Amino acid sequence: MVNSLRKIKEVRLIERIAGRFKVKDRSVIVSIGDDAAVVRGPQRKYLIFTSDMLIESVHFKKSEDYQKVGYKAMAVSISDIAAMGGIPKYALISVGLPKKNVDRIAGQLFTGIESCAKKFGIEVVGGDTNRSDKLVIDVFAVGEVEPDKVVLRSTAQSGDHIFVSGPLGGSFRGKHLSFTPRVMESRFLVKNFKVTSMIDLSDGLGMDLNRICDASGVGALIFENKIPKSRGVFKTEAALFDGEDFELLFTLSKEDALRFFHMMDKRKADMRFYQIGRITDLFRGVKMVTRDGKVKDVSCDGFKHFQKT
């Protein structure tokens, strides 16, 4: 689903925008550059703000079910809030609707949005509508999180264990329109452990793990035989670079990882997690140990080269 070179250009654009908008207000805890912004709120809570835009022919096809598109539009913003350790609360929905079949499209779209909002207890409190040549949906969502439970991309540490919350790859076969945001998993993690970093896998394991490494100033070593693949996915490249899995990628210290393994052994299988590697300070970026014992650099735009171990 993801064009890697296009995503790299997007990252650079975001960096330039962040450089222009320097935040001075001390109530802002996290601004541009993470899954969502975090601001001090009332009653000893932090507020989480996120906005995601879906555009016809970019994030979904014109032929796809508009009810599923509406569900996805809400779900991607919920996933961002989950990646910060938070609970989604409110949303504003803005849509650009084509003139042809507007009633049918809007009806299906908002049915999908409503179903996702109800599933996660979100109140839709406003928004905007306009005419557009293509269907465009923007969801601005607000969540909340306790100050001691907010999780960032920038706090991974050497020795941390790396986990994902589900199988990866092949999202274009339908998962990108029907995934479940990992709010339950996120809250389980932040309530029981000190999660050292977390991000939702919107752009693929290869790119998003590099984002954690860049933000934290560390490297990551992952193992090809540990990466879980979605049903019907056989190539590691697909699991690394297809994108739009919307699983959680997170890190735990060695001590918390041991407690995590022990706790998961005792739990029923309502949640599954997969350990895929370790954080290191021996290098920067992401490397992968292949099944035959070689080491590959995993960059944002794909594999780079082999070297012998």
Side-chain angles (χ1 to χ4, degrees), residues 49 168 172 186 195 203 233 251:
F49 299 101
L168 309 176
F172 55 87
S186 170
V195 183
D203 294 324
V233 173
T251 57

Side-chain angles (χ1 to χ4, degrees), residues 14-261:
I14 292 171
E15 289 174 350
R16 291 201 298 271
I17 293 171
R20 176 169 292 187
F21 294 99
K22 295 293 186 181
V23 176
K24 299 178 181 179
D25 191 328
R26 292 185 178 180
S27 66
V28 178
I29 308 301
V30 180
S31 59
I32 299 170
D34 218 299
D35 283 284
V38 181
V39 177
R40 284 190 180 89
Q43 300 177 346
R44 298 179 181 179
K45 292 286 182 71
Y46 285 172
L47 298 178
I48 302 172
F49 299 101
T50 185
S51 179
D52 283 280
M53 183 184 296
L54 302 189
I55 302 172
E56 184 182 300
S57 301
V58 177
H59 302 98
F60 59 91
K61 299 176 183 178
K62 188 175 182 179
S63 60
E64 287 180 308
D65 186 331
Y66 290 121
Q67 185 170 329
K68 291 182 178 180
V69 171
Y71 173 93
K72 176 181 179 178
M74 177 65 75
V76 293
S77 288
I78 295 173
S79 185
D80 282 339
I81 291 171
M84 307 295 290
I87 301 170
K89 301 292 288 185
Y90 311 101
L92 299 172
I93 314 295
S94 296
V95 295
L97 294 163
K99 185 177 180 180
K100 187 177 181 181
N101 298 321
V102 63
D103 289 339
R104 177 180 64 83
I105 294 172
Q108 293 178 2
L109 188 70
F110 280 97
T111 295
I113 290 171
E114 181 184 22
S115 69
C116 190
K118 284 185 175 181
K119 184 176 181 178
F120 289 92
I122 297 174
E123 299 285 354
V124 177
V125 295
D128 191 21
T129 59
N130 224 316
R131 180 177 172 182
S132 174
D133 292 335
K134 291 185 176 182
L135 179 59
V136 179
I137 315 107
D138 181 80
V139 176
F140 173 77
V142 179
E144 65 180 22
V145 64
E146 304 88 339
D148 63 335
K149 291 179 173 56
V150 65
V151 188
L152 309 180
R153 300 176 183 179
S154 57
T155 44
Q157 299 177 9
S158 180
D160 288 350
H161 292 240
I162 306 168
F163 298 85
V164 292
S165 63
L168 309 176
S171 62
F172 55 87
R173 296 172 182 169
K175 181 183 177 181
H176 76 108
L177 292 172
S178 61
F179 67 92
T180 300
R182 300 304 188 188
V183 176
M184 178 179 70
E185 289 82 352
S186 170
R187 293 301 293 173
F188 164 75
L189 289 168
V190 300
K191 285 180 179 180
N192 291 284
F193 308 97
K194 180 61 178 175
V195 183
T196 52
S197 69
M198 188 153 59
I199 190 172
D200 74 327
L201 290 171
S202 57
D203 294 324
L205 175 61
M207 175 166 279
D208 289 326
L209 184 51
N210 266 289
R211 282 179 168 143
I212 283 182
C213 290
D214 288 345
S216 300
V218 295
L221 184 66
I222 59 176
F223 297 86
E224 185 175 15
N225 63 352
K226 296 288 188 180
I227 299 172
K229 298 183 181 68
S230 300
R231 183 177 298 178
V233 173
F234 303 102
K235 294 184 177 180
T236 301
E237 288 85 347
L240 287 169
F241 303 116
D242 276 359
E244 301 219 347
D245 295 298
F246 297 103
E247 298 291 348
L248 295 175
L249 168 66
F250 62 96
T251 57
L252 296 173
S253 69
K254 179 181 178 180
E255 294 74 19
D256 265 349
L258 290 173
R259 286 202 307 114
F260 177 74
F261 293 135

